Amino acid sequence: MTRTGVSYFGVRIPRHVRRDLEDIAARGYTAVLHTFSENDLAYYRGTMAEIVAASHELGLEVQMCPWGVGRTFGGEAESRWVTFNPEACQVLDDGRRVATGCLNNPVYRSFCKEWADAALECGTDYVFWDEPHWTVPAHVGVDDPERWACCCDLCRELAGGMPTQEFREASLVDFLGDMCAHDAAHSGKNTICLLPLTEGSHGIKDWNSVAALPGLEVFATDPYWKNFDEPAGSFVGRFATLLAETAARHGVRAQLWLPSFGLTRDDIPDLEAAIAATHAAGIDDIWTWGYEACGHMTHLATPDSPLVWEAVTRALTGGAPTTERQRVDLRDLDLRPTRELVGLINAEDRTVAEAVDAAADSIAAAVDAIVERLDRGGRLVYVGAGSSGRAAAGDAAECGPTFSTDQIIAVTNEEEAAEDDQDVGGNDLLAAAVGPNDVVLGVSASGATPYTLGSIDQAKAAGSLTIGLACVAGSELMQRADLGIEVEVGPEVIAGSTRMKAGTAQKLVLNTISTIVMVQLGKTFGNLMVDVQASNEKLRARARRAVALATAANEEDVAAAIAAAEGDPKVAIVSLLAGVDAEAARSRLLAAHGVIREAVADVVG
């Protein structure tokens, strides 16, 4: 059975964890690894049990690893145990004691079993013994990589003298055998993840000795090629083959871990090559470390973490963009009562405003760039297809009568098949004759709509500034556009119905952009809509009210000024504030590029 998993760590507030777990499940992952540090053991045992239960409710299998426990396992977490038990810690060959538990010490082994008991009590499906190793000198502040451990009295006694590499390997295997037997006796299942080493001070030459341990269910390794400065495909392929052959020989499952942390967009081809090499070795249990490419952790994140996360998810799960994925917690949606559905959709819609707010900086940058070009006579051209195209067309259509402008237009195509055709998008935009003064804003919920991508490519070829608006992170649209706006709304209540949260987000962003651009171009006076096309009685009444509020003039003077201005509210306002006739008011506005405040600056403080 194919299994894809991801590690998750750093959050211990259950409601926040649950939302992330829903995202993990919706993306197509079938399993999750939760880190379980000594800090968690001491302070979060009940919370961790709640987190494991939430994972199971979403259909995710769970592994838990001893993150940084005793400093003999993988992970950045610190160890309390080594502080309280220095006498059970390792000793270097020069006699220095270091802050790492000795794998042969019965006190340390007892603590590791206590940790495992707690993990099993939390409900984990597998205890994941992650990168078990003897002390790494650099990890404990020792500069000399040739130092050797453990050489404590117990290890010397067991080795019959100075411990050797063979003794170290045998001790590590014995330690793991003791842990697996303990868990199996308590109805627990074990995964052992070895470092991708078969030689050197931390390697195990014979992987068969580990794969054959009683109580072992899953045999794993994590060939993070960048850590070893090795080519991705060949390095991962070598260890994937070794892992697969060894696991098959002993009747255990093979599991391989790949990094998404610390990678940039330039590393994505290597990541894809590593996944291909893993599949070629016949391994169908593939995991990545970790959730969102560890973009939440400064030390492991890169500016491209969102893009890498989307890439590794696509490669591992074959999943659609986040907006298209099914929320497994809503599989009974059609069975729920109407009032509950109203509350659910309303609650989901509330998250859209938060997502838009998170993108405020990129929206502001886009507005400033648009204003600069429209001030030179350029246009803002929306492009999109499907629901995104209709949202763009709707906003553009409203701008004409609201702000008396022809500088915001939409290029869309109502043919359903056009959405899948880059050439159609490019040709439609070509017909709009865009140029260097124009801004082309592509709208796509997934950030991958071919029509929109083709339009953006054509716009760049024409020298236009390009902006992408998508509702996922790290999309193809963000790579192609000059500026990007990412509003991550998450999976929809109805899977794939991007007319819901994604559509709402797009409308909010487009409305914000067009409104602020018009404000910056002088289409308002304060917060009054003064450039309206008064084409019906409702709009004529609105224009009269705007002139009255802007000038504090009486009804008769307002009516006369509007009549003299031939219905133009801006001309009427300047005429009344500056005390000039309509012709002079138009001249002032022309000199002030249509900005009322500049047109009356000499008479209004």
Side-chain angles (χ1 to χ4, degrees):
M1 180 183 68
T2 300
R3 180 166 56 185
T4 53
V6 61
S7 67
Y8 182 87
F9 64 97
V11 182
R12 293 297 179 259
I13 300 176
R15 68 178 183 277
H16 296 166
V17 175
R18 176 174 282 277
R19 187 169 184 85
D20 291 341
L21 292 173
E22 290 173 356
D23 180 46
I24 289 170
R27 286 174 177 272
Y29 289 95
T30 60
V32 62
L33 179 143
H34 292 295
T35 59
F36 190 37
S37 67
E38 292 182 33
N39 192 60
D40 293 324
L41 179 66
Y43 301 114
Y44 289 93
R45 285 175 68 157
T47 303
M48 292 306 299
E50 187 176 347
I51 289 171
V52 171
S55 304
H56 285 151
E57 289 171 14
L58 292 166
L60 298 169
E61 280 194 287
V62 176
Q63 300 196 97
M64 294 183 80
C65 77
W67 205 36
V69 167
R71 306 305 304 150
T72 60
F73 298 99
E76 292 80 12
E78 298 302 328
S79 172
R80 295 156 36 96
W81 186 90
V82 297
T83 302
F84 297 148
N85 300 274
E87 72 287 347
C89 288
Q90 296 181 37
V91 176
L92 297 178
D93 57 350
D94 61 3
R96 282 180 288 176
R97 190 173 294 277
V98 293
T100 310
C102 174
L103 297 174
N104 283 319
N105 192 290
V107 176
Y108 183 55
R109 289 196 179 194
S110 177
F111 173 67
C112 289
K113 292 173 184 176
E114 176 188 333
W115 174 89
D117 289 342
L120 292 172
E121 288 170 8
C122 285
T124 187
D125 299 304
Y126 295 84
V127 176
F128 185 87
W129 300 103
D130 186 20
E131 298 182 345
H133 58 272
W134 292 94
T135 192
V136 177
H139 292 177
V140 289
V142 176
D143 294 332
D144 187 353
E146 299 301 320
R147 293 274 62 85
W148 190 268
C150 176
C151 300
C152 68
D153 291 343
L154 176 60
C155 285
R156 286 173 181 266
E157 179 183 342
L158 293 172
M162 179 63 78
T164 63
Q165 175 64 16
E166 289 73 18
F167 172 80
R168 281 162 50 100
E169 288 186 33
S171 296
L172 179 53
V173 173
D174 183 72
F175 170 84
L176 293 171
D178 193 11
M179 297 302 114
C180 284
H182 175 82
D183 290 344
H186 292 77
S187 302
K189 293 185 288 188
N190 292 283
T191 300
I192 293 175
C193 183
L194 294 184
L195 288 163
L197 296 167
T198 54
E199 55 188 25
S201 59
H202 295 288
I204 292 182
K205 292 186 180 69
D206 184 13
W207 281 23
N208 291 290
S209 62
V210 176
L213 289 172
L216 182 66
E217 298 273 347
V218 181
F219 189 36
T221 190
D222 51 1
Y224 297 168
W225 64 91
K226 291 188 76 171
N227 291 1
F228 295 88
D229 196 25
E230 293 275 357
S234 59
F235 184 70
V236 173
R238 184 166 78 251
F239 280 99
T241 300
L242 173 62
L243 175 71
E245 292 177 349
T246 306
R249 193 177 299 123
H250 297 280
V252 295
R253 186 180 181 107
Q255 181 180 102
L256 192 132
W257 283 75
L258 294 170
S260 47
F261 67 87
L263 303 185
T264 67
R265 66 182 64 207
D266 294 335
D267 296 314
I268 290 176
D270 285 342
L271 178 60
E272 293 170 341
I275 293 171
T278 304
H279 284 305
I283 297 174
D284 60 1
D285 191 358
I286 311 176
W287 296 57
T288 188
W289 195 288
Y291 180 59
E292 293 188 341
C294 299
H296 59 284
M297 186 176 180
T298 304
H299 182 67
L300 298 180
T302 75
D304 295 329
S305 290
L307 182 65
V308 173
W309 173 234
E310 292 294 331
V312 73
T313 295
R314 284 194 300 272
L316 290 182
T317 71
T322 308
T323 52
E324 300 287 336
R325 295 192 177 108
Q326 181 186 20
R327 282 182 51 175
V328 295
D329 60 317
L330 297 179
R331 286 176 177 166
D332 64 345
L333 185 75
D334 57 333
L335 302 177
R336 300 189 183 191
T338 301
R339 180 62 184 85
E340 181 180 336
L341 292 175
V342 171
L344 170 66
I345 292 175
N346 189 40
E348 288 295 311
D349 283 343
R350 281 198 294 270
T351 68
V352 175
E354 297 173 2
V356 172
D357 185 61
D361 288 344
S362 56
I363 294 171
V367 168
D368 288 341
I370 293 167
V371 169
E372 179 185 345
R373 284 158 180 78
L374 267 62
D375 205 29
R376 300 200 302 254
R379 297 169 297 168
L380 171 59
V381 182
Y382 295 148
V383 293
S387 296
S388 298
R390 287 186 282 274
D395 191 75
E398 290 292 330
C399 288
T402 303
F403 298 110
S404 296
T405 184
D406 58 1
Q407 287 185 284
I408 300 180
I409 66 171
V411 173
T412 65
N413 195 306
E414 291 302 315
E415 295 290 334
E416 290 297 326
E419 192 168 351
D420 299 327
D421 198 322
Q422 290 200 40
D423 291 339
V424 172
N427 290 334
D428 283 355
L429 191 73
L430 186 63
V434 298
N437 283 338
D438 296 320
V439 181
V440 175
L441 195 161
V443 189
S444 167
S446 67
T449 306
Y451 180 91
T452 306
L453 295 177
S455 299
I456 289 294
D457 289 347
Q458 178 60 41
K460 290 178 74 72
S464 302
L465 176 73
T466 58
I467 301 172
L469 168 58
C471 294
V472 298
S475 67
E476 181 69 20
L477 181 58
M478 295 303 106
Q479 295 184 64
R480 297 195 190 188
D482 298 313
L483 299 175
I485 301 170
E486 297 174 322
V487 184
E488 297 181 69
V489 298
E492 301 284 5
V493 171
I494 297 176
S497 182
T498 53
R499 56 178 283 274
M500 300 184 74
K501 289 194 297 182
T504 300
Q506 291 168 353
K507 177 169 176 50
L508 286 175
V509 172
L510 294 176
N511 193 261
T512 298
I513 288 173
S514 59
T515 300
I516 298 176
V517 165
M518 293 295 101
V519 170
Q520 301 283 38
L521 291 176
K523 296 290 187 176
T524 65
F525 183 47
N527 65 342
L528 297 175
M529 192 168 67
V530 296
D531 223 346
V532 64
Q533 291 180 1
S535 56
N536 58 39
E537 185 52 41
K538 179 188 74 172
L539 294 178
R540 284 191 288 273
R542 188 174 292 168
R544 289 194 298 272
R545 179 170 173 76
V547 173
L549 289 171
T551 63
N554 60 47
E555 187 174 335
E556 291 76 11
D557 289 343
V558 167
I562 291 178
E566 299 178 344
D568 188 328
K570 291 175 75 172
V571 172
I573 290 171
V574 172
S575 176
L576 288 169
L577 290 178
V580 297
D581 61 22
E583 184 177 351
R586 282 195 181 88
S587 297
R588 282 174 172 259
L589 278 168
L590 183 63
H593 304 287
V595 180
I596 291 176
R597 289 193 189 279
E598 294 182 18
V600 298
D602 59 330
V603 293
V604 177

